[in-house]
Structure formats: structure tokens, C-alpha cells
Amino acid sequence: MNLKLYDRHKSFGIDANYVASMIYLIPGLIGMLIPAVSPFTFLVPLLVYFIEKNSKFVRFHCLQYLLLSFVSNLLLYLMMFLMIMDESMAVFAITLTNLITVVMFGALVFCVFKAALWRSWRVPYIGWIASKIVKEE
């Protein structure tokens, strides 16, 4: 099942759906506004993941964001490496980089909306891993 509906509950004193949505939004906004700290934006969801003990909903979204961010950065660095190593592959790598960026952005936007609606939509493969780690049943 790719979608799970949660009951309303609180996390950090506010509705958990707001916290889960912010997990996706805050690192992106910080990264855009202050590019120098962009490599460290993963710390926000990481801290929330370890501080939040009661809400599996929030913990799932933290972990899914971390895994999604890791996979997208890994793919983007791989494309950068490909461009550096082989100039003839540059056009292919740039096109693939743009595609990866658009797909990841779309997944993040979709996750924000689903989290706001108290749903945990699982990004294929990544969401499954996150749900197993959080023990989301």
C-alpha cells in the first residue's frame, strides 16, 4: 500500500501534519535562501527524527525526506562526475540532471500536500524503506 491515513495528533505542540509538511519545506527554503548552508539542510529533519518519539507520522516523513535527499544528491553527484570524466557525455548528463531535479521536486511537492492531508504517501522504494525503519504499519 502506497498511502496511509493517520488520525489527527500533535507533535511539538502543533498538529503533526504541519510538522511533517515543514520537514519537506524548511530544508528547501533554507537551501534556496542561503546556498552556503545547503549541504547541511539535512540536519533539520535528522534532528526532528531523533527528537520526536511519539509520532510515527512525523518520523516517517523525516526519514523519507532524508532518504529522498540522499538518493537525489547521489544521482546528481554521479551526473557531475560523468560530465567531468567524459566531455562527450555532457549533454546527456545535463539532460539527465534536469530530469532528476524535476522528478525529485515533483515528489517533494506531492509529499508536502499528502503530509498536509494526514497521509503518508510512500515514494516508491524510498518510502517503503522509511516505513520499515519507522515500523509504520
Side-chain angles (χ1 to χ4, degrees), residues 92-111:
F92 172 74
I94 290 171
T95 303
L96 205 53
T97 299
N98 291 337
L99 180 65
I100 291 167
T101 303
V102 168
V103 168
M104 292 301 176
F105 180 76
L108 287 175
V109 169
F110 197 71
C111 288

Side-chain angles (χ1 to χ4, degrees), residues 59-76:
R59 289 174 56 92
F60 167 79
H61 283 288
C62 288
L63 200 52
Q64 180 165 267
Y65 173 82
L66 288 169
L67 293 171
L68 188 63
S69 176
F70 174 76
V71 167
S72 66
N73 285 330
L74 184 69
L75 289 172
L76 292 174

Side-chain angles (χ1 to χ4, degrees), residues 24-103:
Y24 297 102
L25 290 175
I26 289 175
L29 292 175
I30 291 172
M32 284 190 310
L33 297 175
I34 313 169
V37 298
S38 184
F40 306 105
T41 56
F42 72 93
L43 292 173
V44 174
L46 189 66
L47 287 172
V48 172
Y49 178 79
F50 285 115
I51 292 171
E52 177 58 61
K53 299 294 182 200
N54 300 323
S55 176
K56 286 185 179 182
F57 178 68
V58 171
R59 289 174 56 92
F60 167 79
H61 283 288
C62 288
L63 200 52
Q64 180 165 267
Y65 173 82
L66 288 169
L67 293 171
L68 188 63
S69 176
F70 174 76
V71 167
S72 66
N73 285 330
L74 184 69
L75 289 172
L76 292 174
Y77 285 127
L78 183 67
M79 292 301 111
M80 239 181 349
F81 179 73
L82 189 62
M83 283 188 275
I84 292 169
M85 294 308 291
D86 189 3
E87 293 173 2
S88 65
M89 295 293 288
V91 173
F92 172 74
I94 290 171
T95 303
L96 205 53
T97 299
N98 291 337
L99 180 65
I100 291 167
T101 303
V102 168
V103 168

